[in-house]
Amino acid sequence: MSPKLLGRRLALALGLGLVVFAGLSLYADIHQMGQAVGRFPWALFIPILGLTLFNYILRFGKWSFYLRCLQVGGLRTADSFLIFFGGLAMVITPGKVGEWLKSYLLERYTGVPFARTAPIVVAERLTDGLALLLLAAAGLARFGIGIPVAAGVVLLAAAIVGLSLNRRAGELAASLVERLPLVGRYAGWVREFHGGAGVLFRPGNLALATLMGLISWSGECLAFYLVLWGLGAEGGTDLLIKSAFILSVASLGSSLMLSPGGLGVAEGGITGLGQLLVGLSAAQAAAAALLIRLGTLWFGVAVGVAALTILWARAPAYLKGSSSSSNSSSSANESSEYTPTSRPW
């Protein structure tokens, strides 16, 4: 992705963010929201950002685990780190589909086909969803709110995993694509994608990745706990359960709605549930939504933009698709563990 295209998408996301802010301001009264934010102890934002960074670092660990599962070699740890964190800039795309930029960059750096690593993004989203569902479990049992969202996540996850592990389903999909005009040449892409997904969703890999997601996302739930506590909510185990439930359900709901970065859906869910379950005023709940999104979504976007900027500065040929990048990719492919006939599946 070029800097110009990224800039346009960032501008669009910022515009949508301003629309969300305007909506919350109308709902909760901007003056009262300002007072709530003004009373917030901003020293708490240091551990809040630290907990968000904790989440990102553990998710990088899951990314590295997936690369090992698919036997992706020839990639330096520093480059892998920048590629993963660069993907955070893409969470502002609808359904986070822009995160497939990571697979494009992997192909440029290692020569491993895009289709082989593309399932990583699907696996990341699915295991994150299952982890958030587990974090919300206590609240689901206690409050009975968000059950349709939870059911949707479980059914979607079961369908994706089931189809990924079924070789006949992959061959059938590839055969159907092969018969279609214009897209028939992508049948091999479908087989490659399905094979990679089959590796990532093996029971052991799925369980370990979900556990890693459970630990990593607990960091952001704890960050939201600090936001609520800083706005005047009474601390304790009860608030921890509510914090995990509210943030998890709002995040899951925004993922299912496929809004860019969850904008609007997540803020609305956090604001409504904050009033209903924590007893916050409308202004406090709206302030809580804005603060946690500043410390998670927008912090992540800033980190992602910084990572992509470093990548562009260090290896512009890889990102601009020049002839030199093709040569570099070919060279990387020769040094990689990947060959077309030695797939891990």
Side-chain angles (χ1 to χ4, degrees), residues 132-220:
L132 288 168
L133 191 60
L134 291 171
L135 286 166
L140 284 168
R142 180 174 171 183
F143 308 120
I145 301 172
I147 292 178
V149 173
V153 171
V154 171
L155 291 174
L156 181 62
I160 292 173
V161 173
L163 290 172
S164 298
L165 295 177
N166 188 319
R167 291 189 178 184
R168 292 182 62 184
E171 279 302 317
L172 177 61
S175 297
L176 289 174
V177 170
E178 208 163 24
R179 295 190 184 98
L180 295 174
L182 302 179
V183 298
R185 58 181 177 155
Y186 293 107
W189 192 98
V190 173
R191 290 188 178 93
E192 192 82 41
F193 184 95
H194 186 268
V199 173
L200 300 183
F201 290 133
R202 288 172 183 168
N205 294 340
L206 179 64
L208 179 57
T210 301
L211 176 61
M212 294 172 75
L214 179 66
I215 297 171
S216 66
W217 280 98
S218 65
E220 288 201 8

Side-chain angles (χ1 to χ4, degrees), residues 195-270:
V199 173
L200 300 183
F201 290 133
R202 288 172 183 168
N205 294 340
L206 179 64
L208 179 57
T210 301
L211 176 61
M212 294 172 75
L214 179 66
I215 297 171
S216 66
W217 280 98
S218 65
E220 288 201 8
C221 290
L222 186 54
F224 186 50
Y225 170 89
L226 293 178
V227 168
L228 294 176
W229 182 67
L231 288 170
E234 185 177 349
T237 304
D238 184 62
L239 186 62
L240 273 174
I241 293 173
K242 291 176 179 177
S243 300
F245 175 75
I246 293 171
L247 188 68
S248 298
V249 169
S251 299
L252 287 170
S254 63
S255 296
L256 292 176
M257 293 297 290
L258 302 181
S259 62
L263 286 168
V265 180
E267 288 85 356
I270 291 169

